[in-house]
Amino acid sequence: MKLHQYIICGLTAVSLASCSDKMDYHEYKVDGADYIKEMFSRVGGITTTVYQNLDSDFGNYSGAMLSSATDESAYSHPGNQIEDFYNGAWSPTNAKGSIWSSCYNGISYCNLYLDEFLGLTFPDYRLDVDYQKEMYQYNNYQWEIRWARAYFYFLLVRQYGDVPLKINNMSAAEANGLERTPADEIFEFIDKECAAIKDSIIEDYNNLGNMAMSMAESGRANNLAVLALRARAALYHASPLFNPSGDKELWHQAALRCQECISACKSRNMGLVADYMSLFQSDNYKDTKEIIFARRQNSTSTNNNFEKYNFPIGLENAGGGNCPTQNLVDAFEMSNGKAITDPDSGYDPQNPYANRDKRLSWIVAVNGEQWPNANPNPLEIYQNGANGAPIAYASTTGYYLKKYCNPSTVIGATGANSFYHNWVIFRLAEMYLNLAEAMLNYTGSGYDTRDDLPMSAAQAINVVRARAGQPDIATGLSAQEFKKRYENERFVELAFEGHRFFDVRRWKEAPEYFTTIRKMTITKNGEDFNYQPGVLETRQWNDKMYFFPIPQSEIQKAGNLVQNPGW
C-alpha cells in the first residue's frame, strides 16, 4: 500500500473540465500541502489524481481485455499474458496486481484529501468573480472523494475478498501493519459511505443553475453514481461467493438498493437509449439518458489503439484481437425470443446469423458483413479468406469485435484518425439486470413482487430486452430455469463491459462456463459457406481462482497480510 505525505497531483482547470467538455488528466509535480491549499484549482487537482486511478479495460493485457480470460472472447495472439489466468502461470509472483496498486494509490490520495484538505476558504481569492461557484464545487469535492474511496474498496473486495481497510492517512509502517478486514465489513463500509453521501453530493453537474462554471462539469461522480455503486456492491455482497449461507435479507437489501437507483434515474427522465451502439462510441460522455457514470479519457489523448488491437486481420495495421467466442454468439436468441437450441426457434445452422437478437449485430462482426467503414469488402473470416486463418493473428473463433470499436476509425498509414474511448462503469440497463437478479433470489420466483418492491425480476429484464426488440421473457419458468435465462441475458447485454469475469465468479459457476471455449470454423465451397461449430480449447480451472492472489511483494512488506487460500 502506497502512502503520500507529499502530493504529486494532476492540476487542471478549476473543475477538471476543458473547452471540449472533457475531463483532463494532466500531471506535474508540486511539493508540500501548503502550496496546494493556496488555490482552489490546485486542490481540485487532487481529485483529478483520484479519478485517474479508476478502472477501465481497453486492452490492459498488451491488447487483451479481461474478457479473453472468460468465455466472452479469445485473444488471437498466442502467448499473450491474458493466458496466465487459465494456463497455470497465475501466481502470487505473477499476481496481475494492478488493481491492488492503483486502488490503494487512489485510497491514499482520498485519505490524504479528507485528512488535510477540508475546511479551506482560499481567502486570497474572495474577490474573484467565480469565488462562490468555486467554493460550491470545492465543498462537493469531499463527497466525490468519499465515493471514489468506496468504489476503490469495491474493486478490491470483488477481486481479493478480505482486504486491509485504511480510512485515514497514515505512515508506511502503519499501513503495512494492517491486517485484512473481512469482506462483510468492507461491503458494510461501502454501503454506509454511500448512505452518508448520497444526499450531499451534487445531483447533476450539468444542472448547477447559478452555481455553474463557464464549462460543463460532466465526467464527475454525482448522486446517481453513488446509488449505482451502492446497488452493485449490495448485489455482490448477496451473491454466493460472499454469501455462502444464502442469507435472503442480503438479497432483499440488494433489491432495495437497485430499486432506489432506478427510481432516481427515472425521476431524472433517464431510460434506455434506442441506439445501443452509441453507448460505447467516442461521444458517449454526452449521454445523459442511460449512462450513469463513465471513466473519462484525457481530452488531449485520442487514439486508435483499441481499433488496432481489434480490427479484423487483413486490414492494414489491424491486430485481430479479442475475438468473440461461439459461447457468446450462441447466447443470442432468435428474434422470436427462443434459444437457438429450441427446435421451434427457426435457427438455421447454415445461415446462423439470420433473424437473431439485434444485439448480435451490435456487438459481433460476422462472416460476410462489411466492417469497419474503411473496409470496402465483406469480411472473409472463412478458412483462407482475406480475414481468416491461416493468416497470423486471424480470428481463432470465427468472429471479430465491434463493441467499443469506432467504425469510422482509419488505422492504415493513409488517412489515419483517432477518437476518444470512454469506459462505461455504470449504466441504467445494468441496474435493471441487477434488480432482476436480486428479486429472483429474494422472492424465489422470476414473477413475484413485494409491497416494498413492486417490479418483478421478469419486468426488470423485459425493460432491457425491449430495447433490442426481443419479446418478453417466457412466463411459467421455474426459479432455476429463470436463473439460466437471466444469466444468459446478462451475458449478452453486458458483453465486453468487464462484468463477465466477476459475475461468473460471484455466482461460483466458473467450471460450467469458463472451461470449454467454442469456435465457428467456416469453409467456402464455390459460393456456398459451411459453418461448423466446435471446441477451440479447454481451459484450466481451480477454485482458488475465485479470488486473485495477493501480490507476493505486498505479502513480504506487510507482515500481517495472509495470502488467499490455495495460492
Side-chain angles (χ1 to χ4, degrees), residues 401-460:
L401 177 64
K402 284 185 176 179
K403 196 165 181 176
Y404 271 120
C405 289
N406 190 313
S408 299
T409 304
V410 177
I411 61 174
T414 302
N417 58 13
S418 60
F419 298 90
Y420 302 118
H421 296 82
N422 303 301
W423 184 255
V424 176
I425 290 180
F426 296 113
R427 61 184 178 98
L428 185 53
E430 181 210 338
M431 294 299 117
Y432 279 108
L433 292 174
N434 292 353
L435 176 61
E437 182 176 346
M439 285 298 292
L440 172 64
N441 285 280
Y442 174 49
T443 67
S445 166
Y447 313 99
D448 288 353
T449 61
R450 295 290 185 268
D451 289 342
D452 57 347
L453 292 163
M455 179 175 277
S456 70
Q459 289 171 322

Short mmCIF file of all heavy atoms in Angstrom, two decimals, residues 401-460:
data_model
loop_
_atom_site.label_atom_id
_atom_site.label_comp_id
_atom_site.label_asym_id
_atom_site.label_seq_id
_atom_site.Cartn_x
_atom_site.Cartn_y
_atom_site.Cartn_z
N LEU A 401 -14.56 -8.33 -33.01
CA LEU A 401 -15.25 -7.49 -32.03
C LEU A 401 -15.68 -6.16 -32.63
O LEU A 401 -14.90 -5.48 -33.30
CB LEU A 401 -14.33 -7.23 -30.83
CG LEU A 401 -14.86 -6.31 -29.73
CD1 LEU A 401 -16.08 -6.93 -29.06
CD2 LEU A 401 -13.76 -6.03 -28.70
N LYS A 402 -16.92 -5.75 -32.33
CA LYS A 402 -17.41 -4.42 -32.69
C LYS A 402 -17.50 -3.49 -31.48
O LYS A 402 -17.20 -2.30 -31.58
CB LYS A 402 -18.82 -4.52 -33.30
CG LYS A 402 -18.88 -5.01 -34.73
CD LYS A 402 -20.33 -4.94 -35.21
CE LYS A 402 -20.47 -5.32 -36.66
NZ LYS A 402 -21.89 -5.25 -37.11
N LYS A 403 -17.95 -4.02 -30.37
CA LYS A 403 -18.27 -3.17 -29.22
C LYS A 403 -17.06 -2.37 -28.78
O LYS A 403 -15.96 -2.92 -28.65
CB LYS A 403 -18.80 -4.03 -28.07
CG LYS A 403 -19.52 -3.24 -26.97
CD LYS A 403 -20.30 -4.18 -26.08
CE LYS A 403 -21.04 -3.46 -24.99
NZ LYS A 403 -21.87 -4.37 -24.18
N TYR A 404 -17.25 -1.11 -28.56
CA TYR A 404 -16.24 -0.12 -28.18
C TYR A 404 -15.32 0.26 -29.33
O TYR A 404 -14.54 1.20 -29.21
CB TYR A 404 -15.41 -0.58 -26.98
CG TYR A 404 -15.97 -0.19 -25.65
CD1 TYR A 404 -16.31 -1.16 -24.70
CD2 TYR A 404 -16.15 1.15 -25.30
CE1 TYR A 404 -16.82 -0.81 -23.46
CE2 TYR A 404 -16.65 1.50 -24.07
CZ TYR A 404 -16.99 0.52 -23.14
OH TYR A 404 -17.50 0.88 -21.92
N CYS A 405 -15.36 -0.46 -30.45
CA CYS A 405 -14.59 -0.05 -31.62
C CYS A 405 -15.36 1.04 -32.37
O CYS A 405 -16.56 0.90 -32.61
CB CYS A 405 -14.35 -1.24 -32.57
SG CYS A 405 -13.22 -2.48 -31.95
N ASN A 406 -14.68 2.09 -32.75
CA ASN A 406 -15.31 3.14 -33.53
C ASN A 406 -15.22 2.76 -35.01
O ASN A 406 -14.12 2.67 -35.56
CB ASN A 406 -14.61 4.48 -33.30
CG ASN A 406 -15.38 5.65 -33.89
OD1 ASN A 406 -15.81 5.59 -35.03
ND2 ASN A 406 -15.53 6.71 -33.12
N PRO A 407 -16.36 2.52 -35.67
CA PRO A 407 -16.31 2.03 -37.05
C PRO A 407 -15.74 3.03 -38.03
O PRO A 407 -15.33 2.66 -39.14
CB PRO A 407 -17.79 1.74 -37.37
CG PRO A 407 -18.56 2.62 -36.45
CD PRO A 407 -17.75 2.68 -35.19
N SER A 408 -15.67 4.31 -37.63
CA SER A 408 -15.13 5.34 -38.51
C SER A 408 -13.62 5.48 -38.40
O SER A 408 -13.02 6.28 -39.14
CB SER A 408 -15.79 6.70 -38.19
OG SER A 408 -17.18 6.65 -38.41
N THR A 409 -13.01 4.73 -37.52
CA THR A 409 -11.56 4.81 -37.35
C THR A 409 -10.83 4.28 -38.56
O THR A 409 -11.18 3.22 -39.10
CB THR A 409 -11.12 4.04 -36.09
OG1 THR A 409 -11.84 4.53 -34.96
CG2 THR A 409 -9.63 4.20 -35.84
N VAL A 410 -9.80 5.00 -38.95
CA VAL A 410 -8.89 4.54 -40.01
C VAL A 410 -7.55 4.28 -39.36
O VAL A 410 -6.96 5.17 -38.74
CB VAL A 410 -8.75 5.60 -41.12
CG1 VAL A 410 -7.76 5.14 -42.18
CG2 VAL A 410 -10.11 5.89 -41.76
N ILE A 411 -7.06 3.06 -39.48
CA ILE A 411 -5.80 2.71 -38.83
C ILE A 411 -4.67 2.50 -39.84
O ILE A 411 -3.54 2.23 -39.44
CB ILE A 411 -5.95 1.44 -37.96
CG1 ILE A 411 -6.36 0.24 -38.80
CG2 ILE A 411 -6.95 1.70 -36.83
CD1 ILE A 411 -6.38 -1.07 -38.02
N GLY A 412 -4.97 2.60 -41.11
CA GLY A 412 -3.94 2.46 -42.12
C GLY A 412 -3.01 3.67 -42.15
O GLY A 412 -3.26 4.71 -41.52
N ALA A 413 -1.95 3.56 -42.90
CA ALA A 413 -0.96 4.63 -42.95
C ALA A 413 -1.51 5.89 -43.61
O ALA A 413 -1.10 7.01 -43.29
CB ALA A 413 0.28 4.16 -43.71
N THR A 414 -2.46 5.73 -44.50
CA THR A 414 -3.04 6.87 -45.21
C THR A 414 -4.38 7.24 -44.60
O THR A 414 -5.28 6.40 -44.50
CB THR A 414 -3.24 6.54 -46.70
OG1 THR A 414 -1.98 6.19 -47.28
CG2 THR A 414 -3.82 7.74 -47.43
N GLY A 415 -4.50 8.49 -44.17
CA GLY A 415 -5.77 8.98 -43.64
C GLY A 415 -6.09 8.51 -42.24
O GLY A 415 -7.26 8.56 -41.82
N ALA A 416 -5.08 8.07 -41.49
CA ALA A 416 -5.33 7.57 -40.14
C ALA A 416 -5.98 8.64 -39.27
O ALA A 416 -5.66 9.83 -39.37
CB ALA A 416 -4.02 7.09 -39.51
N ASN A 417 -6.89 8.22 -38.42
CA ASN A 417 -7.53 9.13 -37.47
C ASN A 417 -7.69 8.43 -36.14
O ASN A 417 -7.32 7.26 -35.98
CB ASN A 417 -8.87 9.63 -38.01
CG ASN A 417 -9.84 8.49 -38.30
OD1 ASN A 417 -9.63 7.34 -37.90
ND2 ASN A 417 -10.91 8.78 -39.02
N SER A 418 -8.21 9.14 -35.16
CA SER A 418 -8.37 8.55 -33.83
C SER A 418 -9.49 9.26 -33.10
O SER A 418 -9.89 10.37 -33.45
CB SER A 418 -7.07 8.65 -33.04
OG SER A 418 -6.67 10.00 -32.87
N PHE A 419 -9.99 8.60 -32.05
CA PHE A 419 -11.14 9.10 -31.31
C PHE A 419 -10.95 8.83 -29.82
O PHE A 419 -10.06 8.09 -29.41
CB PHE A 419 -12.43 8.41 -31.80
CG PHE A 419 -12.75 8.67 -33.24
CD1 PHE A 419 -12.27 7.83 -34.24
CD2 PHE A 419 -13.51 9.77 -33.60
CE1 PHE A 419 -12.57 8.07 -35.57
CE2 PHE A 419 -13.81 10.02 -34.93
CZ PHE A 419 -13.34 9.18 -35.92
N TYR A 420 -11.83 9.43 -29.01
CA TYR A 420 -11.83 9.16 -27.58
C TYR A 420 -12.40 7.77 -27.31
O TYR A 420 -13.21 7.25 -28.08
CB TYR A 420 -12.68 10.19 -26.84
CG TYR A 420 -12.27 11.61 -27.03
CD1 TYR A 420 -13.13 12.53 -27.62
CD2 TYR A 420 -11.01 12.05 -26.62
CE1 TYR A 420 -12.76 13.85 -27.80
CE2 TYR A 420 -10.62 13.36 -26.80
CZ TYR A 420 -11.50 14.26 -27.40
OH TYR A 420 -11.13 15.57 -27.58
N HIS A 421 -12.02 7.21 -26.17
CA HIS A 421 -12.59 5.96 -25.69
C HIS A 421 -12.89 6.14 -24.21
O HIS A 421 -11.96 6.24 -23.40
CB HIS A 421 -11.62 4.79 -25.90
CG HIS A 421 -11.34 4.50 -27.34
ND1 HIS A 421 -10.42 5.20 -28.07
CD2 HIS A 421 -11.89 3.60 -28.20
CE1 HIS A 421 -10.38 4.73 -29.32
NE2 HIS A 421 -11.27 3.77 -29.42
N ASN A 422 -14.16 6.20 -23.88
CA ASN A 422 -14.58 6.45 -22.50
C ASN A 422 -15.26 5.20 -21.95
O ASN A 422 -16.23 4.72 -22.53
CB ASN A 422 -15.53 7.64 -22.46
CG ASN A 422 -14.90 8.89 -23.06
OD1 ASN A 422 -13.87 9.35 -22.60
ND2 ASN A 422 -15.51 9.42 -24.12
N TRP A 423 -14.74 4.69 -20.85
CA TRP A 423 -15.16 3.39 -20.31
C TRP A 423 -16.42 3.56 -19.46
O TRP A 423 -16.43 4.30 -18.47
CB TRP A 423 -14.04 2.79 -19.47
CG TRP A 423 -14.32 1.43 -18.95
CD1 TRP A 423 -14.65 1.08 -17.67
CD2 TRP A 423 -14.27 0.20 -19.69
NE1 TRP A 423 -14.82 -0.28 -17.56
CE2 TRP A 423 -14.60 -0.84 -18.79
CE3 TRP A 423 -14.00 -0.11 -21.03
CZ2 TRP A 423 -14.64 -2.18 -19.19
CZ3 TRP A 423 -14.05 -1.44 -21.43
CH2 TRP A 423 -14.36 -2.46 -20.52
N VAL A 424 -17.48 2.84 -19.82
CA VAL A 424 -18.73 2.91 -19.08
C VAL A 424 -18.62 2.06 -17.82
O VAL A 424 -18.41 0.85 -17.89
CB VAL A 424 -19.92 2.43 -19.94
CG1 VAL A 424 -21.20 2.42 -19.12
CG2 VAL A 424 -20.07 3.30 -21.18
N ILE A 425 -18.76 2.70 -16.67
CA ILE A 425 -18.68 1.99 -15.40
C ILE A 425 -20.06 1.62 -14.88
O ILE A 425 -20.29 0.50 -14.43
CB ILE A 425 -17.89 2.82 -14.37
CG1 ILE A 425 -16.40 2.87 -14.79
CG2 ILE A 425 -18.02 2.25 -12.96
CD1 ILE A 425 -15.51 3.68 -13.86
N PHE A 426 -21.01 2.55 -14.96
CA PHE A 426 -22.38 2.27 -14.54
C PHE A 426 -23.34 2.77 -15.62
O PHE A 426 -23.20 3.89 -16.11
CB PHE A 426 -22.74 2.99 -13.23
CG PHE A 426 -21.94 2.56 -12.03
CD1 PHE A 426 -21.06 3.45 -11.43
CD2 PHE A 426 -22.10 1.30 -11.49
CE1 PHE A 426 -20.34 3.08 -10.32
CE2 PHE A 426 -21.37 0.92 -10.37
CZ PHE A 426 -20.48 1.81 -9.79
N ARG A 427 -24.31 1.94 -15.98
CA ARG A 427 -25.39 2.40 -16.84
C ARG A 427 -26.70 1.79 -16.38
O ARG A 427 -26.72 0.78 -15.65
CB ARG A 427 -25.12 2.11 -18.32
CG ARG A 427 -24.97 0.65 -18.72
CD ARG A 427 -24.61 0.56 -20.20
NE ARG A 427 -24.40 -0.80 -20.66
CZ ARG A 427 -25.33 -1.54 -21.29
NH1 ARG A 427 -26.55 -1.05 -21.50
NH2 ARG A 427 -25.04 -2.77 -21.71
N LEU A 428 -27.79 2.40 -16.80
CA LEU A 428 -29.10 2.04 -16.27
C LEU A 428 -29.50 0.61 -16.59
O LEU A 428 -30.14 -0.05 -15.75
CB LEU A 428 -30.14 3.04 -16.78
CG LEU A 428 -31.57 2.90 -16.25
CD1 LEU A 428 -31.60 2.89 -14.73
CD2 LEU A 428 -32.44 4.03 -16.80
N ALA A 429 -29.15 0.11 -17.77
CA ALA A 429 -29.53 -1.27 -18.12
C ALA A 429 -28.97 -2.26 -17.10
O ALA A 429 -29.63 -3.25 -16.74
CB ALA A 429 -29.04 -1.61 -19.52
N GLU A 430 -27.74 -2.02 -16.64
CA GLU A 430 -27.17 -2.91 -15.62
C GLU A 430 -28.01 -2.88 -14.36
O GLU A 430 -28.21 -3.92 -13.71
CB GLU A 430 -25.74 -2.50 -15.29
CG GLU A 430 -25.09 -3.41 -14.25
CD GLU A 430 -24.06 -2.72 -13.37
OE1 GLU A 430 -23.53 -1.67 -13.77
OE2 GLU A 430 -23.78 -3.24 -12.26
N MET A 431 -28.50 -1.71 -13.98
CA MET A 431 -29.29 -1.61 -12.75
C MET A 431 -30.57 -2.44 -12.85
O MET A 431 -30.99 -3.07 -11.87
CB MET A 431 -29.62 -0.14 -12.45
CG MET A 431 -28.40 0.71 -12.12
SD MET A 431 -27.50 0.14 -10.64
CE MET A 431 -25.92 -0.30 -11.37
N TYR A 432 -31.21 -2.43 -14.03
CA TYR A 432 -32.39 -3.28 -14.20
C TYR A 432 -32.03 -4.76 -14.07
O TYR A 432 -32.77 -5.54 -13.45
CB TYR A 432 -33.04 -3.00 -15.56
CG TYR A 432 -33.93 -1.78 -15.58
CD1 TYR A 432 -33.55 -0.62 -16.25
CD2 TYR A 432 -35.17 -1.80 -14.94
CE1 TYR A 432 -34.37 0.50 -16.28
CE2 TYR A 432 -36.00 -0.67 -14.97
CZ TYR A 432 -35.59 0.47 -15.63
OH TYR A 432 -36.41 1.57 -15.65
N LEU A 433 -30.92 -5.15 -14.65
CA LEU A 433 -30.49 -6.55 -14.55
C LEU A 433 -30.12 -6.89 -13.11
O LEU A 433 -30.41 -7.99 -12.63
CB LEU A 433 -29.33 -6.81 -15.49
CG LEU A 433 -29.68 -6.76 -16.98
CD1 LEU A 433 -28.42 -6.89 -17.83
CD2 LEU A 433 -30.68 -7.85 -17.35
N ASN A 434 -29.46 -5.97 -12.42
CA ASN A 434 -29.13 -6.20 -11.01
C ASN A 434 -30.39 -6.39 -10.18
O ASN A 434 -30.46 -7.27 -9.31
CB ASN A 434 -28.32 -5.02 -10.46
CG ASN A 434 -26.93 -4.91 -11.05
OD1 ASN A 434 -26.49 -5.79 -11.79
ND2 ASN A 434 -26.23 -3.83 -10.75
N LEU A 435 -31.40 -5.55 -10.45
CA LEU A 435 -32.66 -5.69 -9.73
C LEU A 435 -33.30 -7.04 -10.01
O LEU A 435 -33.82 -7.71 -9.10
CB LEU A 435 -33.62 -4.56 -10.13
CG LEU A 435 -35.04 -4.64 -9.53
CD1 LEU A 435 -34.99 -4.57 -8.01
CD2 LEU A 435 -35.92 -3.53 -10.09
N ALA A 436 -33.26 -7.47 -11.27
CA ALA A 436 -33.84 -8.77 -11.62
C ALA A 436 -33.18 -9.90 -10.84
O ALA A 436 -33.87 -10.78 -10.30
CB ALA A 436 -33.70 -9.00 -13.12
N GLU A 437 -31.87 -9.87 -10.76
CA GLU A 437 -31.16 -10.93 -10.03
C GLU A 437 -31.50 -10.90 -8.55
O GLU A 437 -31.73 -11.96 -7.93
CB GLU A 437 -29.65 -10.78 -10.23
CG GLU A 437 -28.85 -11.87 -9.56
CD GLU A 437 -27.35 -11.76 -9.85
OE1 GLU A 437 -26.97 -11.03 -10.77
OE2 GLU A 437 -26.57 -12.43 -9.13
N ALA A 438 -31.52 -9.72 -7.98
CA ALA A 438 -31.83 -9.61 -6.55
C ALA A 438 -33.25 -10.07 -6.26
O ALA A 438 -33.51 -10.79 -5.28
CB ALA A 438 -31.62 -8.17 -6.09
N MET A 439 -34.21 -9.68 -7.10
CA MET A 439 -35.60 -10.09 -6.89
C MET A 439 -35.77 -11.59 -7.05
O MET A 439 -36.51 -12.22 -6.28
CB MET A 439 -36.50 -9.34 -7.87
CG MET A 439 -36.73 -7.88 -7.51
SD MET A 439 -37.55 -7.68 -5.91
CE MET A 439 -39.19 -8.34 -6.27
N LEU A 440 -35.13 -12.17 -8.03
CA LEU A 440 -35.22 -13.62 -8.23
C LEU A 440 -34.75 -14.36 -6.99
O LEU A 440 -35.41 -15.30 -6.52
CB LEU A 440 -34.40 -14.03 -9.45
CG LEU A 440 -34.25 -15.53 -9.68
CD1 LEU A 440 -35.60 -16.19 -9.96
CD2 LEU A 440 -33.28 -15.81 -10.82
N ASN A 441 -33.62 -13.94 -6.47
CA ASN A 441 -33.05 -14.65 -5.33
C ASN A 441 -33.75 -14.32 -4.01
O ASN A 441 -33.76 -15.14 -3.10
CB ASN A 441 -31.56 -14.34 -5.24
CG ASN A 441 -30.75 -15.06 -6.29
OD1 ASN A 441 -30.43 -16.24 -6.17
ND2 ASN A 441 -30.43 -14.35 -7.38
N TYR A 442 -34.35 -13.15 -3.93
CA TYR A 442 -35.07 -12.78 -2.71
C TYR A 442 -36.44 -13.45 -2.66
O TYR A 442 -36.82 -14.05 -1.65
CB TYR A 442 -35.22 -11.26 -2.63
CG TYR A 442 -36.08 -10.79 -1.48
CD1 TYR A 442 -35.88 -11.26 -0.18
CD2 TYR A 442 -37.11 -9.86 -1.71
CE1 TYR A 442 -36.69 -10.83 0.86
CE2 TYR A 442 -37.91 -9.42 -0.66
CZ TYR A 442 -37.69 -9.90 0.62
OH TYR A 442 -38.48 -9.47 1.65
N THR A 443 -37.18 -13.40 -3.77
CA THR A 443 -38.54 -13.95 -3.77
C THR A 443 -38.60 -15.42 -4.12
O THR A 443 -39.58 -16.10 -3.83
CB THR A 443 -39.43 -13.19 -4.76
OG1 THR A 443 -38.98 -13.44 -6.10
CG2 THR A 443 -39.41 -11.69 -4.48
N GLY A 444 -37.55 -15.93 -4.77
CA GLY A 444 -37.56 -17.32 -5.22
C GLY A 444 -38.34 -17.53 -6.50
O GLY A 444 -38.58 -18.67 -6.90
N SER A 445 -38.72 -16.44 -7.14
CA SER A 445 -39.51 -16.53 -8.38
C SER A 445 -39.13 -15.39 -9.30
O SER A 445 -38.76 -14.31 -8.85
CB SER A 445 -41.01 -16.45 -8.06
OG SER A 445 -41.77 -16.21 -9.23
N GLY A 446 -39.26 -15.64 -10.60
CA GLY A 446 -38.99 -14.58 -11.55
C GLY A 446 -40.15 -13.63 -11.74
O GLY A 446 -40.01 -12.63 -12.46
N TYR A 447 -41.28 -13.92 -11.10
CA TYR A 447 -42.50 -13.18 -11.40
C TYR A 447 -43.15 -12.53 -10.18
O TYR A 447 -44.14 -11.81 -10.32
CB TYR A 447 -43.51 -14.12 -12.09
CG TYR A 447 -42.88 -14.92 -13.19
CD1 TYR A 447 -42.46 -16.23 -12.98
CD2 TYR A 447 -42.66 -14.35 -14.45
CE1 TYR A 447 -41.87 -16.96 -14.00
CE2 TYR A 447 -42.06 -15.08 -15.46
CZ TYR A 447 -41.66 -16.38 -15.23
OH TYR A 447 -41.05 -17.10 -16.22
N ASP A 448 -42.60 -12.75 -9.00
CA ASP A 448 -43.21 -12.25 -7.78
C ASP A 448 -42.70 -10.85 -7.43
O ASP A 448 -41.58 -10.47 -7.79
CB ASP A 448 -42.92 -13.18 -6.60
CG ASP A 448 -43.70 -14.49 -6.69
OD1 ASP A 448 -44.57 -14.60 -7.58
OD2 ASP A 448 -43.43 -15.39 -5.87
N THR A 449 -43.53 -10.11 -6.73
CA THR A 449 -43.16 -8.79 -6.21
C THR A 449 -43.39 -8.78 -4.70
O THR A 449 -43.90 -9.76 -4.13
CB THR A 449 -43.99 -7.68 -6.88
OG1 THR A 449 -45.38 -7.90 -6.59
CG2 THR A 449 -43.78 -7.66 -8.38
N ARG A 450 -43.04 -7.69 -4.08
CA ARG A 450 -43.30 -7.47 -2.67
C ARG A 450 -43.84 -6.06 -2.50
O ARG A 450 -43.69 -5.21 -3.38
CB ARG A 450 -42.04 -7.67 -1.83
CG ARG A 450 -41.47 -9.09 -1.82
CD ARG A 450 -42.38 -10.03 -1.04
NE ARG A 450 -41.81 -11.38 -0.91
CZ ARG A 450 -42.03 -12.38 -1.75
NH1 ARG A 450 -42.82 -12.18 -2.83
NH2 ARG A 450 -41.50 -13.56 -1.55
N ASP A 451 -44.45 -5.79 -1.36
CA ASP A 451 -45.02 -4.47 -1.13
C ASP A 451 -44.00 -3.36 -1.29
O ASP A 451 -44.31 -2.29 -1.83
CB ASP A 451 -45.63 -4.40 0.27
CG ASP A 451 -46.90 -5.23 0.40
OD1 ASP A 451 -47.48 -5.58 -0.65
OD2 ASP A 451 -47.30 -5.53 1.54
N ASP A 452 -42.78 -3.61 -0.83
CA ASP A 452 -41.73 -2.59 -0.93
C ASP A 452 -40.91 -2.72 -2.20
O ASP A 452 -39.99 -1.93 -2.44
CB ASP A 452 -40.81 -2.63 0.29
CG ASP A 452 -40.15 -3.99 0.51
OD1 ASP A 452 -40.58 -4.98 -0.12
OD2 ASP A 452 -39.20 -4.07 1.32
N LEU A 453 -41.25 -3.71 -3.03
CA LEU A 453 -40.50 -3.95 -4.28
C LEU A 453 -41.50 -4.31 -5.38
O LEU A 453 -41.79 -5.48 -5.64
CB LEU A 453 -39.49 -5.09 -4.08
CG LEU A 453 -38.33 -4.76 -3.14
CD1 LEU A 453 -37.62 -6.03 -2.67
CD2 LEU A 453 -37.33 -3.84 -3.82
N PRO A 454 -42.06 -3.31 -6.05
CA PRO A 454 -43.18 -3.55 -6.98
C PRO A 454 -42.80 -4.07 -8.35
O PRO A 454 -43.69 -4.38 -9.15
CB PRO A 454 -43.83 -2.17 -7.09
CG PRO A 454 -42.69 -1.21 -6.85
CD PRO A 454 -41.81 -1.87 -5.84
N MET A 455 -41.51 -4.16 -8.69
CA MET A 455 -41.10 -4.65 -10.00
C MET A 455 -40.52 -6.06 -9.87
O MET A 455 -39.60 -6.29 -9.10
CB MET A 455 -40.05 -3.72 -10.63
CG MET A 455 -39.56 -4.18 -12.00
SD MET A 455 -38.43 -3.02 -12.83
CE MET A 455 -39.65 -1.91 -13.56
N SER A 456 -41.07 -7.00 -10.62
CA SER A 456 -40.57 -8.37 -10.58
C SER A 456 -39.29 -8.51 -11.39
O SER A 456 -38.93 -7.62 -12.17
CB SER A 456 -41.63 -9.33 -11.14
OG SER A 456 -41.77 -9.14 -12.55
N ALA A 457 -38.63 -9.63 -11.22
CA ALA A 457 -37.43 -9.91 -12.00
C ALA A 457 -37.74 -9.90 -13.49
O ALA A 457 -36.99 -9.35 -14.30
CB ALA A 457 -36.83 -11.25 -11.58
N ALA A 458 -38.86 -10.52 -13.88
CA ALA A 458 -39.23 -10.56 -15.30
C ALA A 458 -39.48 -9.17 -15.85
O ALA A 458 -39.05 -8.84 -16.96
CB ALA A 458 -40.46 -11.44 -15.48
N GLN A 459 -40.18 -8.33 -15.09
CA GLN A 459 -40.45 -6.97 -15.55
C GLN A 459 -39.16 -6.19 -15.75
O GLN A 459 -39.02 -5.43 -16.71
CB GLN A 459 -41.36 -6.26 -14.54
CG GLN A 459 -42.77 -6.78 -14.53
CD GLN A 459 -43.58 -6.21 -13.38
OE1 GLN A 459 -43.08 -6.03 -12.28
NE2 GLN A 459 -44.86 -5.93 -13.64
N ALA A 460 -38.20 -6.39 -14.85
CA ALA A 460 -36.93 -5.69 -14.97
C ALA A 460 -36.15 -6.15 -16.19
O ALA A 460 -35.61 -5.34 -16.96
CB ALA A 460 -36.10 -5.89 -13.70
#
